[in-house]
Amino acid sequence: MDVGIILDLETDVAKVTHICIVLALEDYHATASRSALRIVPHLRDSKKDDVEAASAAIYLLKDVQVHAIYGPQMSTQTDFVADLGRRAKVPIISPATSPLLSVKENPFFIRGALPSSSQTKAIAAVVKNYDWSEVVVIYEDSSYGTGIVPYLTDALQEINTLISYRSVISPSANDDQILKELHNLNTKQTRVFVVHLQPYLASRLFLKAKEAGMMSSGYAWIITDVLTSLLASVDHSVIESSMQGVLGIKPYVPRSNELNNFTQRWSRRFHQEYPDMDPVELNVLGLWAYDGITALAKAVEKVGVSAIPKFKKSDTRENLTELDALGTSELGSLLLHSMQNIKLTTGLSGDFHIVGGELQPSPYEIVNIIGKGERSVGFWTEKDGISYKLKMNGKTAKSINEQLGAIIWPGESTIAPRGWEIPTSGKSLRVGVPVNVLLDEFSKVERDSKTQTLVATGLCVDIFIEVINFMPYAVPYRLIPFQIPDRPTSQDYDDLDYKVSSKEYDAVVGDVTNLASRSKYVDFTLPFSESGISAVVPVKDDDRKNAWIFLKPLKAELWITTGAFFIFIGFVVWVLEHRANEEFRGPKHKQVGMIFWFSFSTLVFAHKEKVTSNLTRFVLIVWVFVVLVLTSSYTASLTSMLTVQQLQPTIKDLNDLIKNGEYVGYQKGSFVKAFLNRMKFDSSKLRSYSTLEEYNDALSRGSKNGGVGAIIDELPYLRLFLNKYCKKYIMVGPTFKTAGFGLVFPKGSPLVPDFSRAVLKVKEGGEFTKNGIQKYSGNETDCPQNDGTSDSLSVDSFKGLFLIAGVSAVSALLVFFLIFLYQNRGILATDNSIGEKLSAIAKAFNEEKDNSNSKSEKPSERNEESQMTTVVFAASEGSTEALPDLPSQNPEIRISNGLGASPSDEGFSTTEPTTSVHESII
């Protein structure tokens, strides 16, 4: 079977490829069976010319009638040849790398090399590894060069990296033109360059880059796969003098014994074929050619034809053009189908796998050019990203870690370049400072009386200078005043941001809030101020001068609830003690007085009345605990009110301002006015002010006297105001979040990340900002810290206690009435009417309880109890002389508190002398 080969034999790459193809065919024929088809190569030279390549393809298709073509090398040549292959139905296997050549648009085109677009993600991974935010792309003005740019742009955008500039180098550019372009690049901030050039043009570029001083410390250069793979073809003197520290990306070729043996065979054969040439090295393009021809041979075996059919010619013989006369190959379609999905697991270049006519990506190796050659520093795979080493797990390469090895950068530096520098034009950073004639505490520009120079001061300027001090490198800057009109608007600050986006300023420092509308045109650093909008209102008069302050510790509902429980507990104790306790009997007015007196006396634990019922004792134990908690809480709250100044706001919520129709103040020219309109404030109730003094005057007069009831502004302004007038005003209401003040830079500026990190360092601890506010707000540093909340206690804090006390009292009443009704069950058993029964029950309750001994007791028991009673009375009267003459008493019956006195002398007395044991529970 005839196979065409089209190469630019004037290039070293073509000669390397030619020898690889010859050896591949020899290996195929050496291992093939005798019945297998022999592949006969027909080599044609395209002479670096597109027309010559097309002419060679027509000759091979028309005259030789080849059934497959390997080549050409160049993408422009392949584009036309692939169209000829489509007409003749002959597969074109080409190492052209331009992604502009589409397999879908050229059905008979099979790419036998990796497209240049496949390396773009590997390049982006290297850029991301060093956090470079911008790169410059230098590429050749040809289809080879321009094809990679869209794919590289997309890959970098995925990692939020911008291509700040595209430098296009013509293949015919002279040294002066290249040097001029490099000088242009050197005036820009970006110091990361991605070079996509052919070796002969790239060597000239690096020589001029060395001359321009761009191969020194701080620069980073990345070269693409073709240049890295063909680095051996570049003059060694150029590499040693002008390419040290460059990073390169190239397809990874795993080492193997087969590859070592083939390399030796290739070297010998190359020297035989080209004895007059200087030694060259085998490269990956040659290995792809070897594997491509091997794959073609396997496809021929797979088709399995014994006879090669001739081209099918057109039936019409009149007016045929050269293209019409080509005919079509019947075998070509079969070969194409077999070649489009073929895999060589033992290819010399590694895993050679073609799917849908495209060679599938393999791992990329990242190398560092050192000395005369290169040193591997890592790898990249689409699945695992960057790694220092590859672990071959069967047929799959997996990464071990996510770091590159040690790299020597240009200038023999071991520190990774940050990716940008202040332009070499010598200009300092032009920083615009808004001159706010209203609140000049934030930014102010004055003329020095001695030097007649403009000097910028203010809180924002001080913070900017402190941020500069925290930058990891020196940043020269020059402050330029930007005059804000006497009647500023938010648009004035927008115009200042526009001057940054138009590059009139390099940055802006001032009280510039990060708004969504502004962030479309500029970038903000992290905020260096508090973020949010809140309100300031006057405080009420000092409550310590109020004659009724003793009522404030408890809210009204808690006072009412407590009083109700005092009366309720007094009533429960009266019910439980009325029948059996003489002190709770008597005239009605005495009993009512006892209810109030006994209950309220527990407030100061002054009750002296004896109680006889265990149910009463149970109720009182719980109630005394409740009283103890209430009095302790009252005392603590009142103490706090009398000793600490309470700043109570006149208005507690923004909605109160709207409901009460209060006038509201805001800073003149601020975007806060639009915020208030969105909050449904009446526009006629809004008043603008310019200075902190005007804020104070308006709040002091109030809405009814031509002032305002509240000032609504951003937190930095309010903090400054409160620090100056803290004794008169307080901040209230919710804080509505905003982005705060930030430093302004042009869109995509590489300075933003470093300045943001420096801002964070300044804000840590907050001391600098706090001291700055005190510096510009006056000397009132003895302001009390208070959040404006009330200290009055409510019922909610004591719900549990009241519930326990209530349940205890009700339970005691329920037990009492059950026992009382049981004892008077005879009344309930009569045939009288309900009214008569209730009247009888009431009389029984009002009657004094008979405390005589129960009739059910035995005489001996009564005698013993009477004897014990005598002893107890004797002890209570202090008759210590009679005790020795008494008969011995049972220790379990004798009652004593261990101090020689009966417990009946205490406030909570034991049972009465004539009360039986079983009766004492009620």
Side-chain angles (χ1 to χ4, degrees), residues 578-582 585 820 823-824 844-855 865 912-920 922:
H578 175 67
R579 299 185 65 227
N581 195 334
E582 186 66 27
R585 301 185 59 81
F820 174 75
Q823 292 175 345
N824 295 274
F845 173 77
N846 192 43
E847 293 177 355
E848 184 176 2
K849 185 177 181 180
D850 184 8
N851 292 326
S852 62
N853 295 332
S854 175
K855 295 179 180 180
E865 184 174 319
E912 291 292 325
T914 58
T915 304
S916 62
V917 174
H918 77 276
E919 289 175 335
S920 65
I922 60 173

Side-chain angles (χ1 to χ4, degrees), residues 660-681:
N660 300 337
E662 296 277 355
Y663 282 91
V664 175
Y666 65 93
Q667 184 184 163
K668 186 178 297 184
S670 173
F671 72 95
V672 173
K673 181 179 181 181
F675 166 79
L676 295 175
N677 290 331
R678 291 195 299 270
M679 290 286 293
K680 307 302 182 182
F681 279 88

Side-chain angles (χ1 to χ4, degrees), residues 155-175:
L156 292 173
Q157 284 181 347
E158 289 180 3
I159 62 170
N160 297 321
T161 299
L162 300 176
I163 296 180
S164 61
Y165 187 76
R166 300 179 183 182
S167 177
V168 184
I169 306 294
S170 172
S172 59
N174 56 41
D175 291 348

Side-chain angles (χ1 to χ4, degrees), residues 409-422:
W409 300 94
E412 299 183 358
S413 173
T414 58
I415 301 175
R418 63 172 177 263
W420 64 273
E421 294 284 352
I422 298 297

Side-chain angles (χ1 to χ4, degrees), residues 235-468:
D235 192 329
H236 287 175
S237 63
V238 175
I239 296 176
E240 290 186 76
S241 66
S242 307
M243 296 186 67
Q244 297 298 295
V246 173
L247 290 183
I249 308 290
K250 69 176 183 177
Y252 172 63
V253 178
R255 309 305 300 178
S256 63
N257 293 330
E258 292 81 1
L259 179 58
N260 293 335
N261 295 333
F262 177 79
T263 302
Q264 295 175 5
R265 287 176 55 208
W266 178 88
S267 297
R268 290 193 298 267
R269 189 60 174 269
F270 187 87
H271 183 67
Q272 292 174 4
E273 292 290 336
Y274 305 102
D276 298 331
M277 279 190 62
D278 294 332
V280 296
E281 294 184 10
L282 180 63
N283 54 57
V284 69
L285 297 177
L287 298 180
W288 280 336
Y290 180 93
D291 290 340
I293 294 299
T294 302
L296 175 62
K298 287 187 175 295
V300 171
E301 288 183 342
K302 187 176 181 180
V303 171
V305 294
S306 56
I308 304 300
K310 295 290 184 179
F311 270 45
K312 184 178 180 181
K313 299 293 184 179
S314 177
D315 295 336
T316 305
R317 295 182 177 273
E318 297 180 358
N319 300 324
L320 291 178
T321 63
E322 287 287 330
L323 297 179
D324 294 331
L326 291 179
T328 57
S329 170
E330 296 180 6
L331 181 59
S333 298
L334 299 176
L335 290 175
L336 175 69
H337 179 72
S338 181
M339 279 286 293
Q340 279 185 329
N341 296 279
I342 195 168
K343 184 175 184 180
L344 299 180
T345 56
T346 58
L348 291 180
S349 62
D351 190 5
F352 190 86
H353 188 194
I354 295 177
V355 176
E358 289 276 9
L359 181 62
Q360 297 304 292
S362 62
Y364 275 92
E365 185 177 9
I366 304 169
V367 298
N368 186 203
I369 298 178
I370 301 295
K372 297 181 180 180
E374 62 191 38
R375 178 173 59 90
S376 178
V377 293
F379 299 88
W380 177 87
T381 61
E382 190 165 8
K383 180 180 179 181
D384 300 316
I386 282 181
S387 62
Y388 177 57
K389 292 183 179 180
L390 283 181
K391 181 179 180 181
M392 302 302 293
N393 182 13
K395 301 175 184 179
T396 305
K398 293 186 177 180
S399 61
I400 294 179
N401 55 46
E402 298 180 354
Q403 297 294 328
L404 293 175
I407 295 176
I408 305 298
W409 300 94
E412 299 183 358
S413 173
T414 58
I415 301 175
R418 63 172 177 263
W420 64 273
E421 294 284 352
I422 298 297
T424 58
S425 58
K427 295 181 179 178
S428 301
L429 202 65
R430 298 166 301 174
V431 181
V433 180
V435 183
N436 192 336
V437 298
L438 305 182
L439 292 175
D440 56 8
E441 290 88 351
F442 285 90
S443 59
K444 182 179 181 181
V445 177
E446 297 177 324
R447 187 173 298 277
D448 190 290
S449 58
K450 296 181 180 180
T451 62
Q452 295 301 312
T453 58
L454 294 176
V455 179
T457 58
L459 181 59
C460 294
V461 176
D462 289 351
I463 291 177
F464 171 74
I465 295 174
E466 188 70 10
V467 169
I468 289 290

